[in-house]
């Protein structure tokens, strides 16, 4: 009897934990983090991030329903059928109908999830999503170089071309203009080239839900966009309007030291920043 | 101790029964164990011990280490000894950061504290949630003040404010407008004072030493000897501060670096070495680290000079006067580093506004200098600018040693310190003697001041550790690189010449791409049957627009934009 | 044991058609019998002890990792005193990279796989199908002894200059192939790869044996669809190993060749790593780091199923016995395990959604990965169906299996986020992944292993384990397992990366320390709690209560043999008449209807 109560309680506790933590995420927002960061993900600032989050919530709802059903059934079964009794258990080897039912329903759910994410993934990684109307590639804002244990950002300078004398580098801080896919059709995403000098790194920006490995020997086009309204809503009240870049792939002993920041500026301010960096590049300080 | 640690969970547990239950079990299990860290100790350097041994004074080493402890403290409690001379000059090296930091820098520090470093604490203070202000990392002294002077104000406990015990009425304690005496900016309200405490924070040496322990020690070692446990796996080796020499500086060759030079390295890192950018820490913390690095460097220098004095003296003793003069001398060198700042007046040519033709003319002149005997660059960097990576050994980089006599240092060898060079005849064939043995010489690469084999930069990789801006390259050429075989430019070379050299070096850095980029681009353009934009013939340009093509697997392209 | 040996004459065994009489005429000495044994039971127990010893080692690594994450750079007990006098007894970052690399390696290759396929595969397969031994006993012995060089290599890898391997258990190039890239890549990585190759040899010997034994040596009447699900699961796992292992072996030899012969399969052109240019140092280039990831995951994803499918089999068997009810949907169970195995070969790319491989491939792998969730779901529903209407006996094995099912649900459901590519981009390599695979491999496989040890202990040693201690062991393990791994979901949601030695300097992570402290304390408790198991295991081995052949009243064949079974297993002829799960059958009075029992006319 003691064991019957214990195991049931343990299972109920797990069910409650599961429901509370996933179904009511605000539970975790109460966690002891007075800063902008919680035990939930950082608020997203990009339109793409919004789509990722929506997908997450869709899956969360489905998964929570499944979790409650299965755990509920498990708890019920444990409690109900672990009582001492003299008669034999039900002698049954299976049910074709039930099998069909619980194959078809999860299959349908999984297919819904599978198909509902394809367009988002395409927007994140397929080349076609960062070409202009004529099918030409959008200009590259800067090269992102990973190396042990630094992120370096090489900008083409004012002439917009790499390998010329007005190129400048920014250590640690990636500065990018604010672009919004929805509102600013002709500009679309901000495109970068992602590269590595030595080993695998991974360029991870939690706020933009962006992550991609920097692979030595490969040059990848990546693109991100930041929504101005979203940004203003989240970062507006803060003094420091930058957010973290993190290396997400083991790159050696100093992996944890490999950090950076993203600073997103409105177009005009971005131009001014380029001016400033150019002046610094040819400065004598 | 453990209970104290667990207190950080308290705010969560108050709202969350599951965590509370888990915590209770945790407390039960962890009993009274709590983490901390063992004390560190400063040791004497190997070279000190060797030179003391040499003159038979090995037994006097405690005298040296004792002196150093008096002068510089221990890793747990680092400090500078204040001499009478300093008192007279109204100087306090223990507060060097506080008054050496320029106003401009101080403003950055305050902004950083406000907007990044203590963001969480300040937000809570502004929101009036004083009770849950979290302890910041590496700011123990600040936290001590907060706990002793501020926190009690909210609990009604008597507090030591401004040196006198003040009994605060709990009712008024929650009044944000409470005036707090003795805190910065007399007359500030309580909340303002609390904010000021955080925004005006500058780390003490002790806090910086703790941060050094966590962030730097495993490479740079306890004494800053570049001999931490990680160091042996790194190439180039971490800097040994004890010589007082730093490479990437903007002062005259051989002089001590400015505070700003070291801060710059912390901010930027030394690219492609294991020294990363530490810009994720606030400006104040980085300045604090520089304070501690300077202390370690001064300690190392003092150590070396004291040993020298000791071996020179007949008695083997260290008279007090010698110690004081050595110490003051070392300290003065560092204090006055700013005075040696160079190149503030230089005007950097704007190549981005130069015509291609002009760039080519100047580059050509730079090349002549590079190959000439006056600047003599090629003798170490090689005729193709590939430095240590060049297939043929640059002529001045190494010296012949007798292969039979010379005792090869295996570590130096493993780090690329030796090279065999075969004799070749006019046709380029390797020459052999009558017995068929290859005729060759063993060369030993010249070491730098730290004993590392010299590895002159390969310009074609277009990576410059000390910065790739024109002015950075100018400084390297004009003043040389501290501690290495890279000398300062001779006087006959004018500033104009140096700039031409710099232009040439930049061209070498980019020329690696030139041909390939051009090919790549032509192919891409041909594919498209349309030339979108013209580009200047000799200027290298792998433009963003045409930097197209296969996203994956593009090795050729990767090479093109150069390492 | 003497009585079982006395009964080794087995007069009726000839009928089975599988008898091999050469073993039985001489008593073997201690060394031949217990050390260099060809007896599948002894080999199984050898694998089990080996796995448990390494489990402690891997667990200690885990504790060190947890300590560092809760209190970074503070004096680490024991390790700090012994190894790091110069840093104030705080570990170094390269040591931390070694810790998690070796934690993963040891837990996967020296604990879970040897325990599941090595220990239970060996012990149970012949007994459950009614065979006297494996098809190739000497090969089987070699399978175990191939682990010895593996252990030697893995221990050697700790003693290399630069310390143990530090490129992660996935050993991604170029970190792992270029010597200067990481301290652990100096020479330790080569030993690590050799260790993996030897583990592969061992697994291969086992797999060949299992497949052959199951196909050729079943007792009369034991059709494929009368086999217990454990045997099915082990058979499927063995097939997975047969097809996937060659790829890993080839890949690790390629990496060895890159490291030793500088062949450059995985080394791209024009790198400079820690001032070393691999081409300048004589290495060929033009390689592709992604190639390793494809090859590695082509093995290692099926390996995940090698680690889970046998656990599912064990769970099904134990569940049915202690629920006193036939397993629900036997054939759907078999089909779902088979489809897991089949689909398991075409989902490896879901480890690489963020790796920069062609996104069209990502899309394909995503759909396949979604589909592989289905058979797992079917299995869970069938387990629930089994429990429904059962007469549940809350014995220790049953408790562990119930825990297994509950936590497998969590591990399975959280996997759906990982399959959804856009979401996976965010959670890739965060602590959600760590939580997910620990729910599957620790809360799943290890709980099933515990259950199986409690369940088959009487068959192994002729004595039962203490039930009270077992239940205490279960309750604590269940609570602390969730305390450790459930909270990791939250770390992952906050974006915390795996493999970071000290995340708290990041603004995004600074507030996560209290949560990590909580997890660490839970982990310590979990580790300490296993003392109940260790004590119970060794105490019961010598002083436990003696039991007869069939303490659980189970139907399957292994309970026909004496406990412990002698050389040759069965002392009487076997003929199988029905499936292995005929509990509560109305045809007989007892609530179990053994597989060999003659049909009684009513």
């Amino acid at each position: 009897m003691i064991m019957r109560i214990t195991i049931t309680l343990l299972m109920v506790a797990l069910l409650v934990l599961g429901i509370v933590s996933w179904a009511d995420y605000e539970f975790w927002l109460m966690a002891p983090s007075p800063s902008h960061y919680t035990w939930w993900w950082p608020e997203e600032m990009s339109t793409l991030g919004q789509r990722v989050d929506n997908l997450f919530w869709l899956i969360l709802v489905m998964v929570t329903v499944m979790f409650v059903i299965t755990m509920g059934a498990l708890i019920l079964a444990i409690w109900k059928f672990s009582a001492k009794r003299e008669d034999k258990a039900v002698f049954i080897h299976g049910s074709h109908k039930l099998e069909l039912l619980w194959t078809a329903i999860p299959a349908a759910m999984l297919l819904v999830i599978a198909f509902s994410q394809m367009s988002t993934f395409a927007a994140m990684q397929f080349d076609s999503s960062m070409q202009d109307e004529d099918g030409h590639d959008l200009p590259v804002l800067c090269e992102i170089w990973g190396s042990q244990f630094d992120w370096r950002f090489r900008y083409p300078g004012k002439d917009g071309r790499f390998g010329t004398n007005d190129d400048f580098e920014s250590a640690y801080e990636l500065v990018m203009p604010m672009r919004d896919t929805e509102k600013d059709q002709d500009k679309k995403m901000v495109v970068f080239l992602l590269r590595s000098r030595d080993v695998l790194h991974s360029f991870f920006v939690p706020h933009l839900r962006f992550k991609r490995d920097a692979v030595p020997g490969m040059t990848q086009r990546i693109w991100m966009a930041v929504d101005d309204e979203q940004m203003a809503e989240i970062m507006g009240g803060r003094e420091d309007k930058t957010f973290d870049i993190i290396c997400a792939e083991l790159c050696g002993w100093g992996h944890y030291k490999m950090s950076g920041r993203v600073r997103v500026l409105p177009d005009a301010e971005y131009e001014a920043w380029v001016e400033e960096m150019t002046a610094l590049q040819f400065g004598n300080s | 101790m453990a209970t104290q640690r667990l207190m950080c969970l308290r705010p969560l547990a108050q709202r969350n029964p599951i965590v509370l239950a888990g915590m209770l079990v945790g407390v039960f299990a962890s009993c009274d164990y709590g983490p901390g860290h063992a004390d560190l100790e400063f040791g004497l350097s190997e070279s000190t011990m060797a030179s003391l041994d040499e003159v038979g004074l090995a037994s006097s080493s405690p005298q040296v280490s004792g002196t150093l402890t008096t002068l510089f403290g221990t890793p747990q409690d680092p400090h500078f000894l204040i001499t009478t001379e300093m008192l007279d000059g109204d100087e306090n090296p223990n507060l060097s950061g506080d008054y050496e930091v320029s106003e401009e820098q101080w403003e950055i520090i305050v902004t950083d504290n406000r907007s990044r470093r203590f963001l969480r604490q300040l937000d809570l203070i502004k929101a009036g949630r004083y009770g849950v202000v979290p302890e910041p990392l590496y700011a123990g002294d600040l936290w001590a003040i907060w706990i002793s002077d501020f926190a009690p104000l909210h609990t009604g406990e008597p507090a030591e404010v401004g040196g006198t015990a003040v009994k605060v009425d709990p009712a008024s304690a929650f009044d944000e407008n409470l005036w707090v005496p003795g805190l910065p900016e007399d007359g500030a309200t309580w909340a303002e004072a609390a904010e000021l405490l955080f925004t005006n924070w500058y780390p003490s040496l002790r806090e910086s030493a703790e941060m050094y322990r966590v962030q730097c020690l495993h490479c740079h070692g306890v004494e800053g000897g570049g001999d931490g446990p990680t160091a042996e796996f790194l190439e180039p080796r971490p800097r040994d501060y004890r010589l007082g020499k730093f490479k990437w500086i903007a002062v005259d060759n051989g002089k001590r670096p400015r505070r700003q030079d070291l801060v710059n390295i912390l901010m930027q890192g030394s690219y492609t070495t294991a020294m990363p950018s530490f810009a994720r820490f606030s400006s104040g913390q980085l300045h604090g680290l520089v304070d501690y690095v300077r202390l370690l460097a001064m300690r190392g220098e003092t150590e070396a000079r004291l040993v020298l004095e000791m071996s020179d003296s007949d008695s083997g003793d260290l008279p007090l006067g010698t110690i004081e003069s050595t110490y003051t001398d070392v300290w003065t060198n560092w204090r006055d580093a700013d005075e040696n700042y160079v190149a503030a007046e230089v005007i950097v040519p704007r190549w981005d506004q130069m015509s291609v033709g002009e760039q080519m003319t100047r580059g050509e002149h730079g090349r002549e200098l590079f190959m000439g005997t006056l600047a003599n660059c090629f003798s170490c960097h090689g005729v193709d600018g590939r430095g240590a990576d060049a297939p043929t050994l640059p002529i001045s980089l190494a010296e012949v040693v007798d292969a039979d006599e010379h005792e090869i240092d295996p570590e130096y060898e493993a780090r690329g310190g030796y090279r065999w060079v075969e004799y070749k005849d006019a046709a380029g064939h390797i020459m052999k003697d009558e017995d068929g043995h290859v005729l060759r010489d063993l060369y030993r690469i010249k070491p730098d001041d730290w004993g590392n084999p010299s590895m002159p930069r390969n310009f074609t990789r277009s990576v410059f550790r000390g910065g790739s801006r024109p002015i950075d390259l100018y400084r390297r050429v004009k003043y040389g690189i501290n501690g290495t075989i890279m000398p300062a430019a001779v006087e006959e070379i004018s500033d104009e010449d140096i700039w031409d050299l710099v232009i040439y070096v930049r061209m070498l850095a980019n020329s690696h791409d030139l041909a390939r980029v051009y090919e790549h681009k032509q192919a891409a353009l041909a594919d498209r049957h349309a030339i979108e934009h013209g580009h200047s013939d000799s200027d290298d340009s792998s433009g963003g627009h045409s930097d197209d093509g296969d996203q994956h697997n593009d090795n050729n392209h990767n090479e093109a934009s150069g390492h | 044991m003497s009585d079982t040996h006395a009964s080794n004459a087995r007069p009726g065994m000839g009928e089975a058609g599988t008898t091999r009489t050469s073993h039985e005429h001489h008593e073997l000495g201690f060394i031949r019998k217990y050390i260099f044994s060809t007896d599948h039971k002894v080999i199984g127990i050898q694998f089990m002890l080996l796995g448990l010893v390494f489990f402690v080692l891997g667990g200690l690594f885990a504790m060190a990792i947890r300590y560092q994450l809760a209190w970074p750079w503070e004096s680490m007990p024991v390790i700090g005193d012994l190894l790091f006098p110069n840093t104030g007894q705080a570990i170094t970052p390269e040591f931390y990279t070694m810790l998690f690399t070796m934690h993963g390696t040891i837990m996967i290759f020296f604990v879970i796989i040897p325990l599941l396929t090595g220990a239970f595969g060996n012990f149970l397969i012949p007994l459950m199908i009614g065979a006297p031994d494996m098809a190739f006993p000497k090969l089987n012995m070699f399978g175990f002894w191939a682990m010895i060089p593996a252990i030697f290599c893995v221990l050697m890898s700790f003693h290399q200059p630069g310390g143990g391997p530090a490129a992660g258990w996935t050993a991604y190039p170029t970190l792992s192939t270029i010597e200067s890239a990481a301290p652990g890549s100096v020479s330790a990585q080569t030993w690590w790869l050799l260790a993996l190759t030897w583990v592969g040899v061992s697994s291969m010997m086992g797999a060949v044996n299992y497949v052959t034994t199951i196909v050729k040596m079943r007792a009369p009447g034991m059709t494929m669809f009368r086999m217990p699900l454990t045997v099915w699961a082990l058979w499927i796992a063995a097939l997975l190993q047969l097809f996937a292992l060659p790829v890993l072996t080839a890949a690790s030899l390629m990496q060895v060749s890159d490291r030793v012969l500088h062949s450059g399969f995985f080394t791209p052109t024009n790198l400079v790593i820690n001032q070393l240019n691999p081409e300048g140092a004589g290495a060929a280039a033009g390689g592709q780091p992604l190639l390793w990831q494809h090859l590695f995951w082509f093995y290692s994803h099926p390996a995940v199923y090698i680690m889970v499918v046998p656990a599912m089999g064990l769970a099904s068997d134990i569940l049915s016995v202690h629920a006193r009810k036939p397993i629900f949907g036997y054939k759907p169970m078999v089909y779902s395990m088979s489809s897991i195995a089949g689909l398991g070969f075409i989902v490896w790319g879901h480890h690489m959604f963020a790796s920069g491989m062609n996104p069209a491939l990502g899309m394909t792998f995503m759909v396949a990965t979604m589909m592989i969730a289905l058979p797992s779901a079917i299995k869970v529903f069938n387990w629930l169906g089994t429990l429904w209407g059962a007469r549940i006996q809350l014995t220790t094995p049953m408790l562990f299996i119930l825990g297994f099912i509950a936590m497998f649900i969590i591990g399975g459901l959280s996997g759906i986020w990982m399959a959804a590519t856009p979401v996976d981009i965010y959670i890739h390599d965060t602590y959600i992944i760590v939580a997910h695979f620990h729910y599957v491999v620790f809360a799943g496989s290890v709980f099933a292993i515990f259950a199986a040890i409690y369940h088959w202990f009487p068959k192994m040693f002729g004595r039962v384990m203490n039930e009270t201690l077992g239940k205490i062991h279960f309750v604590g393990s269940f609570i602390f397992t969730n305390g450790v791994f459930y909270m990791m979901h939250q770390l992952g949601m906050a974006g915390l990366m795996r493999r970071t030695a000290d995340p708290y300097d990041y603004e995004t992570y600074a507030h996560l320390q209290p949560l990590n402290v909580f997890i660490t304390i839970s982990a310590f408790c979990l580790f300490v709690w296993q003392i109940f198991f260790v004590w119970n295991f060794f105490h019961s081995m010598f002083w436990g209560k003696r039991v007869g052949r069939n303490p659980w009243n189970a139907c399957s064949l292994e309970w026909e043999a004496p406990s412990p079974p002698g050389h040759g297993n069965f002392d009487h002829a076997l003929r199988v008449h029905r499936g292995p799960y005929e509990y509560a059958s109305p045809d007989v009075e007892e609530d179990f209807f053994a597989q060999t029992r003659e049909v009684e006319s009513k």
Side-chain angles (χ1 to χ4, degrees), chain B residues 285-526:
Chain B
Q285 283 173 304
L286 298 186
H287 275 272
L289 266 184
V290 166
D291 288 341
Y292 187 64
V293 167
R294 282 162 45 120
L295 177 134
L296 290 177
M298 286 184 225
R299 185 186 164 279
E301 271 188 76
T302 314
E303 175 183 339
R305 287 175 60 168
L306 288 181
V307 170
L308 208 65
E309 298 284 350
M310 238 170 135
S311 352
D312 284 354
S313 74
D314 300 330
S315 62
D317 266 345
L318 276 178
L320 207 56
T322 318
I323 294 174
E324 189 170 346
S325 64
T326 309
Y327 174 61
T328 317
D329 196 26
V330 169
W331 150 247
T332 317
N333 273 343
W334 280 86
R335 183 195 57 191
D336 298 341
D338 275 358
E339 289 166 18
N340 303 312
Y341 179 52
V342 289
E345 310 298 311
V346 177
I347 294 154
V348 181
R350 293 296 298 256
W351 313 326
D352 55 330
Q353 292 158 5
M354 261 181 216
S355 71
V356 175
E358 195 183 346
Q359 283 188 45
M360 291 308 287
T361 322
R362 296 194 63 172
E364 188 55 34
H365 182 227
R367 199 183 79 85
E368 281 163 20
L369 287 162
F370 192 90
M371 300 299 182
T373 47
L374 194 59
N376 214 11
C377 310
F378 75 99
S379 69
C380 285
H381 289 284
V383 286
D384 53 358
R386 286 168 68 186
D389 295 344
T392 48
L393 191 63
I395 51 176
S396 302
L397 186 53
E399 50 210 359
V400 187
V401 291
D402 188 333
D404 299 324
E405 299 280 313
H406 184 76
E407 205 175 304
I408 288 181
D409 174 1
E411 199 200 326
Y412 200 72
E413 190 188 19
R415 298 177 63 198
Y418 294 93
R419 286 222 211 148
W420 288 99
V421 175
E422 291 86 8
Y423 288 55
K424 288 187 179 154
D425 58 20
H429 300 300
I430 293 170
M431 288 164 67
K432 292 179 181 173
D433 63 9
E434 301 86 42
D435 303 336
H437 294 126
V438 175
L439 288 169
R440 56 180 193 170
D441 280 332
L442 179 62
Y443 281 81
R444 180 172 187 267
I445 308 274
K446 291 176 184 164
D448 63 16
D449 288 5
W450 296 276
N452 308 314
S454 295
M455 293 291 166
R457 181 99 319 249
N458 176 355
F459 298 127
T460 63
R461 292 208 177 273
S462 75
V463 166
F464 300 94
R465 290 184 201 147
S468 57
R469 297 183 308 150
I471 188 70
D472 297 326
L473 301 180
Y474 171 88
R475 283 184 184 129
R476 302 293 98 82
V477 179
K478 173 100 178 170
Y479 301 103
I481 298 175
N482 218 353
T484 69
I485 58 173
M486 172 83 187
V490 292
E491 275 179 25
E492 286 83 355
I493 303 179
S494 69
D495 260 15
E496 203 66 2
D497 289 341
I498 293 180
W499 283 119
D500 291 353
L501 261 174
V502 172
I503 289 179
Y504 177 63
V505 167
R506 287 287 304 212
M507 283 181 159
L508 281 174
N510 285 333
S511 74
H512 189 66
D513 335 17
L514 234 165
R516 284 199 185 86
V517 168
Y518 195 72
E519 278 168 24
H520 182 78
K521 192 172 177 122
Q522 286 303 313
L525 290 176

Side-chain angles (χ1 to χ4, degrees), chain A residues 17 27 30-32 34-36 39 127 136-137 139-140 143 145 147-150 152 154 160-166 169 171-172 193 195 197 212 217-221 239-240 253 256-257 259 261 278 280-285, chain B residues 12 15-16 114-116 119-120 123-124 215 218-219 230 234 268 271 273 275-277 279-280 341 343-344 346 348-352 359 463 469-471 475 510 535 540-544 547-548 551-553 555 557-558 561 563:
Chain A
L17 181 65
F27 178 78
M30 300 188 310
S35 66
H36 313 299
W39 288 7
D127 284 7
H136 294 147
D137 293 339
V140 174
E143 281 182 335
W145 281 98
S147 69
Q148 285 177 334
F149 302 97
D150 257 325
R152 283 265 167 157
R154 180 181 170 208
R161 294 189 299 186
F162 289 103
T164 52
N165 277 325
D166 65 347
E169 280 183 1
Y172 186 72
L193 295 182
R195 294 171 153 191
R197 280 189 193 280
R212 186 79 67 85
M218 263 170 62
T219 304
Q220 299 178 67
R221 265 169 189 276
E239 296 216 29
D240 180 28
W253 61 265
Y256 69 104
K257 287 188 176 176
S259 57
R261 297 288 277 187
T278 310
L280 194 66
Q281 174 75 4
F282 292 99
N284 59 8
S285 63
Chain B
L12 176 66
R15 298 185 205 91
N16 187 335
R114 191 167 52 223
S115 63
R116 280 209 293 150
L119 197 65
R120 303 167 62 207
D123 276 355
L124 284 173
Q215 299 293 337
H218 67 91
C219 290
T230 313
L234 305 182
Q268 306 278 320
Y271 195 35
T273 72
M275 173 78 188
S277 157
R280 61 185 164 146
Y341 179 52
V346 177
V348 181
R350 293 296 298 256
W351 313 326
D352 55 330
Q359 283 188 45
V463 166
R469 297 183 308 150
I471 188 70
R475 283 184 184 129
N510 285 333
H535 52 276
D540 42 355
S541 50
S542 83
D547 207 344
D548 57 340
Q551 193 183 150
H552 307 289
N553 240 335
N555 276 329
H557 184 101
N558 184 45
S561 298
H563 288 268

Side-chain angles (χ1 to χ4, degrees), chain C residues 78-91:
Chain C
V78 191
I79 293 178
D81 300 347
L82 292 178
L83 299 177
F84 300 103
N86 295 332
T87 59
Q89 302 178 356
I91 63 167

Side-chain angles (χ1 to χ4, degrees), chain B residues 155-176:
Chain B
T155 54
E157 304 277 322
E160 292 278 330
V161 177
T164 48
V166 182
K167 173 75 180 155
V168 185
D169 176 16
S172 69
F174 286 93
D175 179 7
E176 295 209 356

